[in-house]
Amino acid sequence: MRALMVKSSLEQAQRLVAHVQEDTDSMRAALPLIGEHAGSAATVSWDPIWRAAELVPWAGDNLRGVRLAAQSIDVAVNDLALPALNEMESGSDAPVLTRVLPIVDEVEPRIVDLAAKIERVAESNALVGPVRRASTW
């Protein structure tokens, strides 16, 4: 049941991203919705059953890949893109880079860590098609 919920959340986020790619003016409205779906999918990070299932041969690498993808989208949108966009729109007189770089500096270690973990999972021969394709983005 949990896997279906995560799949649905990631598919919703993917549809919104595709929409934004076609209509860039919709980004401001879509970004919080993408963040909601990504945050919902990323809740598997705290699910002890999901994490235990990641130890199962064959299925484990696939579940780990899905979890890491969800966490990556969650961090990219909720911890980086939305705060940066809010800073850019804040109307502050301070230079944009002065306001945005601290956000980037704070999030960068998590992004690097997630990217390294995804790279390791992508090397698995057990990945099913959709997980393999997502790990090569």
Side-chain angles (χ1 to χ4, degrees):
M1 196 61 164
R2 188 78 160 139
L4 292 175
M5 187 271 316
V6 171
K7 179 181 183 286
S8 174
S9 293
L10 290 175
E11 287 173 344
Q12 291 287 344
Q14 185 178 27
R15 279 193 281 284
L16 287 165
V17 168
H19 176 73
V20 168
Q21 288 173 333
E22 293 175 12
D23 177 16
T24 56
D25 292 338
S26 68
M27 182 183 71
R28 185 58 175 121
L31 207 52
L33 296 172
I34 295 168
E36 285 179 32
H37 292 300
S40 175
T43 61
V44 297
S45 301
W46 302 283
D47 186 325
I49 295 170
W50 186 285
R51 295 301 289 259
E54 289 183 12
L55 301 173
V56 175
W58 181 81
D61 286 341
N62 288 286
L63 292 171
R64 189 173 305 105
V66 169
R67 174 181 53 83
L68 292 170
Q71 286 178 286
S72 296
I73 297 167
D74 182 42
V75 168
V77 174
N78 291 316
D79 297 341
L80 180 60
L82 281 171
L85 187 59
N86 290 337
E87 274 302 322
M88 289 187 279
E89 294 177 341
S90 72
S92 171
D93 291 333
V96 171
L97 285 177
T98 303
R99 293 179 280 137
V100 172
L101 282 178
I103 297 167
V104 174
D105 286 343
E106 181 181 326
V107 175
E108 184 259 345
R110 286 183 283 164
I111 291 172
V112 169
D113 180 56
L114 286 165
K117 289 176 180 175
I118 289 171
E119 190 174 313
R120 285 192 297 275
V121 168
E123 295 171 357
S124 172
N125 293 326
L127 298 183
V128 295
V131 178
R132 180 164 304 289
R133 283 189 297 278
S135 69
T136 59
W137 291 352

